[in-house]
Amino acid sequence: NDGDSILALIRGSAINQDGRSSGLTAPNGPSQEAVIRTALVNAGLQPNQVDYVEAHGTGTSLGDPIEVRALVAVLGQDRPSDHPLYIGSAKTNFGHLEAAAGMAGLLKVVLSLQHGEIPPHLHLQKLNPYIAWDTIPLAVPTERTPWDSQGKSRIAGVSSFGFSGTNAHVILEEAP
């Protein structure tokens, strides 16, 4: 140890490629599910241990439902109704940073882990009507939300998807 502070632990990560798709703005849900599942396996975690996901969050009527369905398919498993998966996206704070968007999300999660708080998803006026919010175990925090660890480590995922069809998911745990 050279004296550097440990801000968070990378528990697992994965990347994959969509392959042929119907276009740049039409993400591939099964590929997103696969990358999240692989990251979970690499992290040695169960889906319901993840409390928060910093979503890619395209902000589009097509992309967001596909991403939410992938998150629910993987991280919604065995999730108690009183323990929803919180999701948000840094893009609501300052727009899309293109190649740096995933890094902005990673930094947001590290700060959230350190402060024990999930920041609000800014500028949300209306939930996407193509997502069945009342039937899925997800919540979008619109105000500062205490991140109650309930005696366990806080764990979060970060999703980032590229125009090239590359999908990445990283799972972080709060520093010991």
Side-chain angles (χ1 to χ4, degrees):
N1 182 345
D2 60 4
D4 291 337
S5 297
I6 298 172
L7 304 178
L9 305 176
I10 298 173
R11 285 290 303 261
S13 64
I15 58 171
N16 70 13
Q17 174 54 244
D18 277 351
R20 188 180 182 123
S21 71
S22 58
L24 289 176
T25 60
N28 184 305
S31 292
Q32 291 180 8
E33 288 180 36
V35 79
I36 297 166
R37 277 192 182 95
T38 302
L40 267 175
V41 168
N42 291 339
L45 295 169
Q46 296 301 310
N48 61 9
Q49 291 178 273
V50 178
D51 302 313
Y52 174 77
V53 170
E54 177 65 17
H56 180 74
T58 63
T60 66
S61 60
L62 176 63
D64 286 350
I66 291 171
E67 183 174 9
V68 166
R69 280 193 294 273
L71 290 169
V72 169
V74 179
L75 300 174
Q77 297 175 26
D78 301 322
R79 186 165 293 277
S81 59
D82 63 341
H83 182 69
L85 175 68
Y86 286 102
I87 62 170
S89 176
K91 290 179 183 74
T92 64
N93 296 55
F94 39 72
H96 199 312
L97 294 178
E98 297 183 13
M103 190 53 65
L106 184 88
L107 294 171
K108 177 183 167 187
V109 168
V110 169
L111 289 167
S112 297
L113 290 167
Q114 286 182 308
H115 293 283
E117 179 176 281
I118 299 172
H121 188 76
L122 299 180
H123 311 297
L124 179 63
Q125 295 175 358
K126 182 176 141 187
L127 291 170
N128 187 313
Y130 299 107
I131 299 171
W133 294 102
D134 56 342
T135 65
I136 58 176
L138 267 67
V140 179
T142 55
E143 55 190 42
R144 290 169 48 176
T145 303
W147 194 339
D148 183 10
S149 65
Q150 300 174 348
K152 301 177 221 164
S153 289
R154 293 177 184 93
I155 296 174
V158 179
S159 289
S160 190
F161 311 126
F163 270 138
S164 65
T166 300
N167 301 306
H169 192 80
V170 176
I171 298 177
L172 301 172
E173 180 177 3
E174 67 182 320

